[in-house]
Amino acid sequence: SDIDTALAISLIADSSGGTNVLKNRSQVVIDTFNGDDQLGTFDVEGLTKDLRLALRLAAAEGRSLKIAQTVEPIYGQAINDGLGKFDGASLSVKAAK
């Protein structure tokens, strides 16, 4: 849509649906979208571990987490692509491409 990345992230972060995490980490997300993947404080490997734990718990309780099931392969592929130690914002860029 040719909207500047920083403007788009700012609009989302400052909207009524904006999360505190995005507000606090908006520069990391902007930098990542601009091609500067960086080592993360909460990296893709950590996110993947937690996602898989949630999926196992849900399965054990007979529940389905459809969105989590849908995105889990993206997380796994990101690790295979060498993004495991990078910030979780790298997944946003990977999903957007």
Side-chain angles (χ1 to χ4, degrees):
S1 64
D2 294 327
I3 296 173
D4 177 68
T5 301
L7 176 60
I9 298 301
S10 174
L11 289 171
I12 295 167
D14 292 339
S15 76
S16 62
T19 64
N20 285 331
V21 170
L22 183 56
K23 290 174 186 173
N24 293 331
R25 295 175 37 81
S26 61
Q27 191 60 52
V28 171
V29 175
I30 291 165
D31 291 346
T32 301
F33 266 90
N34 289 331
D36 185 22
D37 283 327
Q38 49 202 294
L39 295 178
T41 53
F42 195 29
D43 60 29
V44 174
E45 287 179 357
L47 290 166
T48 303
K49 173 192 61 81
D50 288 355
L51 177 64
R52 289 177 176 161
L53 286 172
L55 287 168
R56 282 202 315 244
L57 177 61
E61 294 184 356
R63 299 182 183 256
S64 174
L65 301 176
K66 294 197 183 295
I67 293 173
Q69 291 167 329
T70 300
V71 300
E72 191 273 335
I74 295 170
Y75 284 62
Q77 187 59 52
I79 291 172
N80 291 340
D81 290 347
L83 296 175
K85 295 294 182 195
F86 288 95
D87 193 84
S90 298
L91 290 170
S92 299
V93 174
K94 183 168 185 52
K97 290 184 178 179

Coordinates of all heavy atoms in Angstrom, one line a residue:
S1 N 0.8 -1.2 0.0 CA 0.0 0.0 0.0 C 0.8 1.3 0.0 O 0.3 2.4 0.1 CB -0.9 0.0 1.2 OG -0.2 0.0 2.4
D2 N 2.1 1.1 0.0 CA 3.1 2.2 0.0 C 3.0 3.2 1.2 O 3.4 4.3 1.1 CB 2.9 3.0 -1.3 CG 3.3 2.3 -2.6 OD1 4.2 1.4 -2.5 OD2 2.7 2.5 -3.6
I3 N 2.4 2.7 2.3 CA 2.4 3.4 3.5 C 3.8 3.2 4.2 O 4.2 2.1 4.3 CB 1.3 3.0 4.4 CG1 -0.1 3.3 3.8 CG2 1.4 3.7 5.8 CD1 -1.3 2.7 4.5
D4 N 4.4 4.3 4.7 CA 5.6 4.2 5.4 C 5.5 3.3 6.6 O 4.5 3.4 7.3 CB 6.0 5.6 5.8 CG 7.3 5.6 6.6 OD1 8.4 5.3 6.1 OD2 7.2 5.9 7.9
T5 N 6.5 2.4 6.7 CA 6.4 1.4 7.8 C 6.3 2.1 9.2 O 5.4 1.7 10.0 CB 7.7 0.5 7.8 OG1 7.8 -0.1 6.5 CG2 7.6 -0.5 8.9
A6 N 7.1 3.1 9.5 CA 7.0 3.8 10.8 C 5.6 4.4 11.0 O 5.1 4.3 12.1 CB 8.1 4.8 10.9
L7 N 5.0 5.0 10.0 CA 3.7 5.5 10.1 C 2.7 4.5 10.4 O 1.8 4.6 11.3 CB 3.3 6.3 8.8 CG 1.9 6.9 8.8 CD1 1.7 7.9 10.0 CD2 1.6 7.6 7.5
A8 N 2.7 3.4 9.6 CA 1.8 2.3 9.8 C 1.8 1.7 11.2 O 0.8 1.5 11.9 CB 2.0 1.2 8.8
I9 N 3.1 1.4 11.7 CA 3.2 0.9 13.1 C 2.8 1.9 14.1 O 2.1 1.5 15.1 CB 4.7 0.5 13.3 CG1 5.1 -0.6 12.3 CG2 4.9 0.1 14.8 CD1 4.4 -1.9 12.4
S10 N 3.0 3.1 13.9 CA 2.6 4.2 14.8 C 1.1 4.2 14.9 O 0.5 4.3 16.0 CB 3.2 5.5 14.4 OG 2.7 6.6 15.2
L11 N 0.4 4.2 13.7 CA -1.0 4.2 13.7 C -1.6 3.0 14.4 O -2.6 3.2 15.2 CB -1.5 4.3 12.3 CG -1.3 5.6 11.5 CD1 -1.6 5.4 10.0 CD2 -2.1 6.7 12.1
I12 N -1.1 1.9 14.2 CA -1.6 0.7 14.9 C -1.3 0.7 16.4 O -2.2 0.5 17.2 CB -1.0 -0.6 14.3 CG1 -1.4 -0.8 12.8 CG2 -1.3 -1.8 15.1 CD1 -0.6 -1.8 12.1
A13 N -0.1 1.1 16.8 CA 0.2 1.2 18.2 C -0.6 2.2 18.9 O -1.0 2.0 20.1 CB 1.7 1.5 18.3
D14 N -0.9 3.3 18.3 CA -1.6 4.4 19.0 C -3.2 4.2 18.9 O -3.9 5.0 19.4 CB -1.2 5.7 18.4 CG 0.2 6.1 18.8 OD1 0.7 5.5 19.8 OD2 0.8 6.9 18.1
S15 N -3.6 3.2 18.2 CA -5.1 3.0 18.0 C -5.6 2.4 19.3 O -4.9 2.0 20.2 CB -5.4 2.1 16.8 OG -5.1 0.8 17.1
S16 N -7.0 2.4 19.4 CA -7.6 1.8 20.5 C -7.3 0.3 20.7 O -7.4 -0.3 21.7 CB -9.1 2.0 20.5 OG -9.6 1.3 19.3
G17 N -6.9 -0.4 19.5 CA -6.5 -1.8 19.6 C -5.0 -2.0 19.8 O -4.6 -3.1 19.8
G18 N -4.3 -0.9 19.9 CA -2.8 -1.1 20.0 C -2.4 -1.7 21.4 O -3.0 -1.3 22.4
T19 N -1.5 -2.6 21.4 CA -1.1 -3.2 22.6 C 0.1 -2.5 23.2 O 0.8 -1.8 22.5 CB -0.7 -4.7 22.4 OG1 0.5 -4.7 21.5 CG2 -1.8 -5.5 21.7
N20 N 0.2 -2.6 24.5 CA 1.4 -2.0 25.2 C 2.7 -2.5 24.7 O 3.7 -1.8 24.6 CB 1.3 -2.2 26.7 CG 0.3 -1.3 27.3 OD1 0.0 -0.2 26.8 ND2 -0.3 -1.7 28.4
V21 N 2.7 -3.8 24.3 CA 3.9 -4.4 23.8 C 4.3 -3.7 22.5 O 5.5 -3.4 22.3 CB 3.7 -6.0 23.5 CG1 4.9 -6.5 22.7 CG2 3.5 -6.7 24.8
L22 N 3.4 -3.5 21.6 CA 3.7 -2.8 20.3 C 4.1 -1.4 20.6 O 5.1 -0.9 20.0 CB 2.5 -2.8 19.4 CG 2.8 -2.2 18.0 CD1 4.0 -2.8 17.3 CD2 1.6 -2.3 17.1
K23 N 3.5 -0.7 21.5 CA 3.9 0.7 21.9 C 5.3 0.7 22.4 O 6.1 1.6 22.0 CB 2.9 1.2 22.9 CG 1.5 1.5 22.4 CD 0.6 2.0 23.4 CE -0.8 2.1 22.8 NZ -1.9 2.3 23.7
N24 N 5.7 -0.2 23.2 CA 7.0 -0.2 23.8 C 8.1 -0.7 22.9 O 9.2 -0.4 23.0 CB 7.0 -1.1 25.1 CG 6.2 -0.5 26.2 OD1 6.0 0.7 26.3 ND2 5.7 -1.4 27.1
R25 N 7.7 -1.6 21.9 CA 8.6 -2.2 21.0 C 8.5 -1.7 19.6 O 9.0 -2.4 18.6 CB 8.5 -3.7 21.1 CG 8.9 -4.2 22.5 CD 8.7 -5.7 22.6 NE 9.0 -6.5 21.5 CZ 10.2 -6.9 21.1 NH1 11.2 -6.6 21.8 NH2 10.3 -7.6 20.0
S26 N 7.8 -0.7 19.3 CA 7.5 -0.2 18.0 C 8.8 0.0 17.1 O 8.8 -0.4 15.9 CB 6.6 1.0 17.9 OG 7.2 2.1 18.5
Q27 N 9.8 0.5 17.7 CA 11.0 0.7 17.0 C 11.7 -0.6 16.5 O 12.2 -0.7 15.4 CB 12.0 1.6 17.7 CG 13.2 2.1 16.9 CD 12.7 2.9 15.7 OE1 11.9 3.9 15.9 NE2 13.1 2.6 14.5
V28 N 11.6 -1.6 17.3 CA 12.1 -2.9 17.0 C 11.4 -3.4 15.8 O 12.0 -4.0 14.8 CB 12.1 -3.9 18.2 CG1 12.4 -5.3 17.7 CG2 13.0 -3.5 19.3
V29 N 10.0 -3.3 15.8 CA 9.2 -3.8 14.7 C 9.5 -3.0 13.4 O 9.7 -3.6 12.3 CB 7.7 -3.7 15.1 CG1 6.8 -4.1 13.9 CG2 7.4 -4.6 16.3
I30 N 9.6 -1.7 13.5 CA 9.9 -0.8 12.4 C 11.3 -1.2 11.8 O 11.4 -1.4 10.6 CB 9.9 0.6 12.8 CG1 8.5 1.1 13.1 CG2 10.5 1.5 11.7 CD1 8.4 2.4 13.8
D31 N 12.3 -1.4 12.7 CA 13.6 -1.7 12.2 C 13.6 -3.1 11.5 O 14.2 -3.3 10.4 CB 14.6 -1.8 13.3 CG 14.9 -0.4 13.9 OD1 14.6 0.6 13.2 OD2 15.5 -0.3 15.0
T32 N 12.9 -4.0 12.0 CA 12.8 -5.4 11.4 C 12.1 -5.3 10.1 O 12.6 -5.9 9.1 CB 12.1 -6.3 12.4 OG1 12.8 -6.4 13.6 CG2 12.0 -7.7 11.8
F33 N 11.0 -4.6 10.0 CA 10.3 -4.4 8.7 C 11.2 -3.8 7.7 O 11.1 -4.0 6.5 CB 9.0 -3.7 8.8 CG 7.8 -4.5 9.0 CD1 7.4 -4.9 10.3 CD2 7.1 -5.0 7.9 CE1 6.3 -5.7 10.5 CE2 6.0 -5.8 8.1 CZ 5.6 -6.2 9.4
N34 N 12.1 -2.9 8.1 CA 13.1 -2.2 7.2 C 14.3 -3.1 6.9 O 15.3 -2.6 6.4 CB 13.4 -0.9 7.8 CG 12.3 0.1 7.7 OD1 11.4 0.0 6.8 ND2 12.2 1.1 8.6
G35 N 14.3 -4.3 7.3 CA 15.4 -5.3 7.0 C 16.5 -5.4 8.0 O 17.5 -6.1 7.7
D36 N 16.3 -4.9 9.2 CA 17.3 -5.0 10.2 C 16.9 -6.0 11.3 O 16.6 -5.6 12.4 CB 17.6 -3.6 10.8 CG 18.7 -3.6 11.8 OD1 19.6 -4.5 11.7 OD2 18.8 -2.7 12.7
D37 N 16.9 -7.3 10.9 CA 16.6 -8.3 11.9 C 17.7 -8.2 13.0 O 18.8 -8.0 12.8 CB 16.7 -9.7 11.3 CG 15.5 -10.1 10.5 OD1 14.4 -9.6 10.9 OD2 15.6 -10.8 9.5
Q38 N 17.2 -8.4 14.2 CA 18.1 -8.2 15.4 C 17.9 -9.3 16.4 O 16.9 -9.9 16.5 CB 18.0 -6.9 16.0 CG 16.5 -6.5 16.2 CD 16.3 -5.0 16.3 OE1 16.8 -4.4 17.3 NE2 15.6 -4.5 15.4
L39 N 19.0 -9.6 17.1 CA 18.9 -10.5 18.2 C 17.8 -10.1 19.2 O 17.7 -8.9 19.4 CB 20.2 -10.7 18.9 CG 21.3 -11.3 18.1 CD1 22.6 -11.4 18.9 CD2 20.9 -12.7 17.6
G40 N 17.0 -11.0 19.6 CA 15.8 -10.6 20.4 C 15.9 -10.8 21.9 O 16.6 -11.6 22.3
T41 N 15.1 -10.0 22.6 CA 14.9 -10.2 24.0 C 13.9 -11.4 24.2 O 14.0 -12.0 25.2 CB 14.4 -8.9 24.7 OG1 13.2 -8.5 24.0 CG2 15.4 -7.8 24.7
F42 N 13.0 -11.5 23.2 CA 12.1 -12.7 23.2 C 12.2 -13.2 21.8 O 11.5 -12.7 20.9 CB 10.7 -12.3 23.7 CG 9.9 -13.6 24.0 CD1 10.5 -14.7 24.5 CD2 8.5 -13.5 23.9 CE1 9.7 -15.9 24.8 CE2 7.7 -14.6 24.2 CZ 8.3 -15.8 24.6
D43 N 13.1 -14.2 21.6 CA 13.4 -14.6 20.2 C 12.4 -15.6 19.7 O 11.5 -16.1 20.4 CB 14.8 -15.1 20.1 CG 15.1 -16.3 21.0 OD1 14.2 -17.1 21.3 OD2 16.2 -16.5 21.4
V44 N 12.5 -15.9 18.4 CA 11.6 -16.8 17.7 C 11.6 -18.2 18.4 O 10.6 -18.8 18.5 CB 11.9 -16.9 16.2 CG1 11.1 -17.9 15.5 CG2 11.7 -15.5 15.6
E45 N 12.8 -18.7 18.8 CA 12.8 -20.0 19.5 C 12.0 -20.0 20.7 O 11.2 -20.9 21.0 CB 14.3 -20.3 19.8 CG 15.0 -20.7 18.6 CD 16.5 -21.1 18.9 OE1 16.9 -21.0 20.0 OE2 17.2 -21.5 17.9
G46 N 12.0 -18.9 21.5 CA 11.2 -18.8 22.8 C 9.8 -18.8 22.5 O 8.9 -19.4 23.1
L47 N 9.4 -18.0 21.4 CA 8.0 -17.9 21.0 C 7.5 -19.3 20.5 O 6.4 -19.7 20.9 CB 7.8 -16.9 19.9 CG 8.0 -15.4 20.3 CD1 8.2 -14.5 19.1 CD2 6.9 -14.9 21.1
T48 N 8.3 -20.0 19.8 CA 7.9 -21.3 19.2 C 7.7 -22.3 20.4 O 6.8 -23.0 20.4 CB 9.0 -21.8 18.3 OG1 9.1 -20.8 17.2 CG2 8.6 -23.1 17.6
K49 N 8.6 -22.2 21.3 CA 8.5 -23.1 22.5 C 7.2 -22.9 23.2 O 6.4 -23.9 23.5 CB 9.6 -22.9 23.5 CG 9.5 -23.7 24.8 CD 10.5 -23.2 25.8 CE 10.4 -21.8 26.2 NZ 9.3 -21.5 27.2
D50 N 6.8 -21.7 23.5 CA 5.6 -21.3 24.1 C 4.4 -21.7 23.3 O 3.4 -22.2 23.8 CB 5.5 -19.9 24.5 CG 6.5 -19.5 25.6 OD1 7.1 -20.4 26.2 OD2 6.6 -18.3 26.0
L51 N 4.4 -21.5 22.0 CA 3.3 -21.8 21.1 C 3.1 -23.3 21.2 O 1.9 -23.8 21.3 CB 3.6 -21.3 19.7 CG 2.6 -21.7 18.7 CD1 1.2 -21.0 19.0 CD2 3.1 -21.3 17.3
R52 N 4.1 -24.1 21.1 CA 4.0 -25.5 21.1 C 3.5 -26.1 22.4 O 2.7 -27.0 22.5 CB 5.3 -26.2 20.7 CG 5.6 -25.9 19.2 CD 6.9 -26.5 18.7 NE 7.0 -26.3 17.3 CZ 8.2 -26.3 16.6 NH1 9.3 -26.6 17.3 NH2 8.2 -26.1 15.3
L53 N 3.9 -25.4 23.5 CA 3.4 -25.8 24.8 C 1.9 -25.6 24.9 O 1.1 -26.4 25.4 CB 4.1 -25.1 25.9 CG 5.6 -25.5 26.2 CD1 6.2 -24.5 27.2 CD2 5.6 -26.9 26.8
A54 N 1.5 -24.4 24.4 CA 0.0 -24.1 24.4 C -0.7 -25.1 23.6 O -1.8 -25.5 24.0 CB -0.2 -22.7 23.9
L55 N -0.2 -25.5 22.4 CA -0.9 -26.4 21.6 C -1.0 -27.8 22.3 O -2.0 -28.5 22.2 CB -0.1 -26.6 20.2 CG -0.3 -25.4 19.3 CD1 0.6 -25.5 18.1 CD2 -1.8 -25.3 18.8
R56 N 0.1 -28.2 22.9 CA 0.1 -29.5 23.6 C -1.0 -29.5 24.8 O -1.7 -30.4 25.0 CB 1.4 -29.9 24.2 CG 2.3 -30.4 23.1 CD 3.5 -31.2 23.6 NE 4.2 -30.7 24.8 CZ 5.4 -30.3 24.8 NH1 6.2 -30.4 23.7 NH2 6.0 -29.8 25.9
L57 N -1.0 -28.4 25.5 CA -1.9 -28.3 26.6 C -3.4 -28.3 26.1 O -4.2 -29.0 26.6 CB -1.7 -27.0 27.4 CG -2.7 -26.7 28.6 CD1 -2.7 -27.8 29.6 CD2 -2.4 -25.3 29.2
A58 N -3.6 -27.6 25.0 CA -5.0 -27.6 24.4 C -5.4 -29.0 24.0 O -6.5 -29.4 24.2 CB -5.0 -26.6 23.3
A59 N -4.4 -29.6 23.3 CA -4.7 -31.0 22.9 C -5.0 -31.9 24.0 O -6.0 -32.8 24.0 CB -3.6 -31.5 22.0
A60 N -4.3 -31.8 25.1 CA -4.5 -32.6 26.3 C -5.8 -32.4 26.9 O -6.4 -33.3 27.5 CB -3.4 -32.4 27.3
E61 N -6.4 -31.2 26.8 CA -7.7 -30.8 27.3 C -8.8 -31.0 26.3 O -9.9 -30.6 26.5 CB -7.6 -29.4 27.9 CG -6.7 -29.3 29.1 CD -6.8 -27.9 29.7 OE1 -7.4 -27.0 29.1 OE2 -6.1 -27.7 30.7
G62 N -8.4 -31.6 25.1 CA -9.4 -31.8 24.1 C -9.9 -30.5 23.4 O -11.0 -30.5 22.9
R63 N -9.1 -29.5 23.4 CA -9.5 -28.3 22.7 C -8.6 -28.0 21.5 O -7.5 -28.6 21.3 CB -9.3 -27.1 23.7 CG -10.2 -27.3 24.9 CD -10.1 -26.2 25.9 NE -10.9 -26.4 27.1 CZ -12.0 -25.8 27.3 NH1 -12.5 -25.0 26.4 NH2 -12.7 -26.1 28.4
S64 N -9.1 -27.1 20.7 CA -8.4 -26.8 19.5 C -8.1 -25.3 19.4 O -8.9 -24.5 19.8 CB -9.3 -27.1 18.3 OG -8.7 -26.7 17.1
L65 N -6.8 -25.0 19.1 CA -6.4 -23.6 18.9 C -6.1 -23.4 17.5 O -5.0 -23.5 17.0 CB -5.2 -23.3 19.8 CG -5.3 -23.5 21.3 CD1 -4.0 -23.3 22.0 CD2 -6.4 -22.6 21.9
K66 N -7.1 -23.0 16.7 CA -7.0 -23.0 15.2 C -6.0 -22.0 14.7 O -5.2 -22.3 13.8 CB -8.4 -22.8 14.6 CG -9.3 -23.9 14.9 CD -10.5 -23.9 13.9 CE -11.4 -25.0 14.2 NZ -10.9 -26.4 14.1
I67 N -6.0 -20.8 15.3 CA -5.0 -19.8 14.8 C -3.6 -20.3 15.2 O -2.7 -20.2 14.4 CB -5.3 -18.4 15.4 CG1 -6.6 -17.9 14.9 CG2 -4.1 -17.5 15.1 CD1 -7.1 -16.6 15.5
A68 N -3.4 -20.8 16.4 CA -2.1 -21.3 16.8 C -1.6 -22.5 15.9 O -0.5 -22.6 15.5 CB -2.1 -21.7 18.2
Q69 N -2.6 -23.4 15.6 CA -2.2 -24.5 14.7 C -1.9 -24.0 13.3 O -1.0 -24.6 12.6 CB -3.4 -25.4 14.6 CG -3.7 -26.2 15.9 CD -5.0 -26.9 15.9 OE1 -6.0 -26.4 15.2 NE2 -5.1 -28.0 16.6
T70 N -2.5 -22.9 12.9 CA -2.2 -22.4 11.5 C -0.9 -21.7 11.5 O -0.1 -21.9 10.5 CB -3.3 -21.4 11.1 OG1 -4.6 -22.1 11.1 CG2 -3.1 -20.8 9.8
V71 N -0.5 -21.0 12.5 CA 0.8 -20.3 12.4 C 2.0 -21.1 12.9 O 3.1 -20.7 12.6 CB 0.7 -18.9 13.2 CG1 -0.3 -18.0 12.7 CG2 0.6 -19.2 14.7
E72 N 1.8 -22.2 13.6 CA 2.9 -23.0 14.1 C 3.9 -23.4 13.0 O 5.1 -23.3 13.2 CB 2.4 -24.2 14.8 CG 3.5 -24.9 15.6 CD 4.2 -26.0 14.8 OE1 3.7 -26.5 13.8 OE2 5.4 -26.3 15.1
P73 N 3.5 -23.8 11.8 CA 4.5 -24.1 10.8 C 5.3 -22.9 10.3 O 6.5 -23.0 10.0 CB 3.6 -24.6 9.6 CG 2.3 -25.0 10.2 CD 2.1 -24.1 11.4
I74 N 4.7 -21.7 10.4 CA 5.5 -20.5 10.1 C 6.6 -20.3 11.1 O 7.7 -19.9 10.7 CB 4.6 -19.2 10.1 CG1 3.6 -19.3 8.9 CG2 5.4 -17.9 9.9 CD1 2.5 -18.3 9.0
Y75 N 6.3 -20.5 12.4 CA 7.4 -20.4 13.4 C 8.5 -21.4 13.1 O 9.7 -21.1 13.2 CB 6.8 -20.7 14.8 CG 6.0 -19.6 15.4 CD1 4.8 -19.1 14.7 CD2 6.3 -19.0 16.6 CE1 4.1 -18.1 15.3 CE2 5.6 -17.9 17.1 CZ 4.5 -17.5 16.5 OH 3.7 -16.5 17.0
G76 N 8.1 -22.7 12.9 CA 9.1 -23.7 12.6 C 9.9 -23.4 11.4 O 11.1 -23.6 11.4
Q77 N 9.3 -22.9 10.3 CA 10.0 -22.5 9.1 C 11.0 -21.3 9.4 O 12.1 -21.3 8.9 CB 9.1 -22.1 8.0 CG 9.8 -21.9 6.7 CD 10.6 -23.1 6.2 OE1 10.0 -24.2 6.1 NE2 11.8 -22.9 5.9
A78 N 10.6 -20.4 10.2 CA 11.4 -19.3 10.6 C 12.7 -19.8 11.3 O 13.8 -19.3 11.0 CB 10.7 -18.3 11.5
I79 N 12.6 -20.8 12.2 CA 13.7 -21.4 12.8 C 14.6 -22.1 11.8 O 15.8 -21.9 11.7 CB 13.3 -22.3 13.9 CG1 12.7 -21.5 15.1 CG2 14.5 -23.2 14.4 CD1 12.1 -22.4 16.2
N80 N 14.0 -22.8 10.9 CA 14.7 -23.5 9.8 C 15.4 -22.5 8.9 O 16.5 -22.8 8.3 CB 13.8 -24.4 8.9 CG 13.3 -25.6 9.7 OD1 13.9 -26.0 10.7 ND2 12.2 -26.1 9.2
D81 N 14.9 -21.3 8.8 CA 15.5 -20.2 7.9 C 16.6 -19.4 8.7 O 17.1 -18.5 8.2 CB 14.4 -19.2 7.5 CG 13.5 -19.9 6.4 OD1 13.8 -20.9 5.9 OD2 12.4 -19.2 6.2
G82 N 16.9 -19.9 9.9 CA 17.9 -19.2 10.7 C 17.5 -18.0 11.5 O 18.4 -17.3 12.0
L83 N 16.2 -17.9 11.7 CA 15.7 -16.7 12.5 C 15.5 -17.0 14.0 O 15.0 -16.2 14.7 CB 14.4 -16.2 11.9 CG 14.5 -15.6 10.5 CD1 13.2 -15.2 10.0 CD2 15.5 -14.4 10.5
G84 N 15.9 -18.2 14.4 CA 15.6 -18.7 15.8 C 16.0 -17.7 16.9 O 15.3 -17.5 17.9
K85 N 17.2 -17.1 16.8 CA 17.7 -16.2 17.8 C 17.3 -14.8 17.6 O 17.7 -13.9 18.4 CB 19.3 -16.3 17.8 CG 19.8 -17.7 18.3 CD 19.4 -18.0 19.7 CE 19.9 -19.3 20.1 NZ 19.3 -19.8 21.4
F86 N 16.6 -14.5 16.5 CA 16.2 -13.1 16.2 C 14.9 -12.8 16.9 O 14.1 -13.7 17.3 CB 16.1 -12.9 14.7 CG 17.4 -12.9 14.0 CD1 17.9 -14.0 13.4 CD2 18.1 -11.7 14.0 CE1 19.1 -14.0 12.8 CE2 19.4 -11.7 13.3 CZ 19.9 -12.8 12.7
D87 N 14.6 -11.5 17.0 CA 13.5 -11.0 17.7 C 12.2 -11.5 17.0 O 12.2 -11.7 15.8 CB 13.5 -9.5 17.7 CG 12.4 -8.9 18.6 OD1 12.8 -8.7 19.8 OD2 11.3 -8.6 18.1
G88 N 11.2 -11.7 17.8 CA 9.9 -12.2 17.3 C 9.3 -11.4 16.3 O 8.5 -11.8 15.5
A89 N 9.7 -10.1 16.2 CA 9.2 -9.2 15.1 C 9.6 -9.8 13.7 O 8.9 -9.4 12.8 CB 9.7 -7.8 15.3
S90 N 10.6 -10.6 13.7 CA 11.0 -11.2 12.4 C 9.9 -12.0 11.8 O 9.8 -12.1 10.6 CB 12.2 -12.1 12.6 OG 13.3 -11.3 13.0
L91 N 9.0 -12.6 12.7 CA 7.9 -13.4 12.2 C 6.9 -12.5 11.4 O 6.3 -12.9 10.5 CB 7.2 -14.1 13.3 CG 8.0 -15.2 13.9 CD1 7.3 -15.7 15.2 CD2 8.1 -16.4 13.0
S92 N 6.7 -11.3 11.9 CA 5.8 -10.3 11.2 C 6.2 -10.1 9.8 O 5.4 -10.0 8.9 CB 5.7 -9.0 12.0 OG 5.2 -9.2 13.3
V93 N 7.5 -9.9 9.6 CA 8.0 -9.6 8.3 C 7.9 -10.8 7.4 O 7.4 -10.8 6.3 CB 9.5 -9.1 8.4 CG1 10.1 -9.0 7.0 CG2 9.6 -7.8 9.1
K94 N 8.2 -12.0 8.0 CA 8.1 -13.3 7.2 C 6.7 -13.5 6.8 O 6.4 -13.9 5.7 CB 8.6 -14.4 8.1 CG 8.6 -15.7 7.3 CD 9.4 -16.8 8.1 CE 9.5 -18.1 7.4 NZ 10.0 -17.9 6.0
A95 N 5.7 -13.3 7.7 CA 4.3 -13.5 7.4 C 3.8 -12.5 6.3 O 2.9 -12.8 5.5 CB 3.5 -13.4 8.6
A96 N 4.3 -11.3 6.3 CA 3.9 -10.2 5.4 C 4.4 -10.5 4.0 O 3.8 -10.0 3.0 CB 4.3 -8.9 5.9
K97 N 5.4 -11.3 3.8 CA 6.0 -11.5 2.5 C 5.3 -12.5 1.7 O 4.6 -13.4 2.1 CB 7.5 -11.8 2.6 CG 8.3 -10.6 3.0 CD 9.7 -10.9 3.1 CE 10.5 -9.6 3.5 NZ 11.9 -9.8 3.6

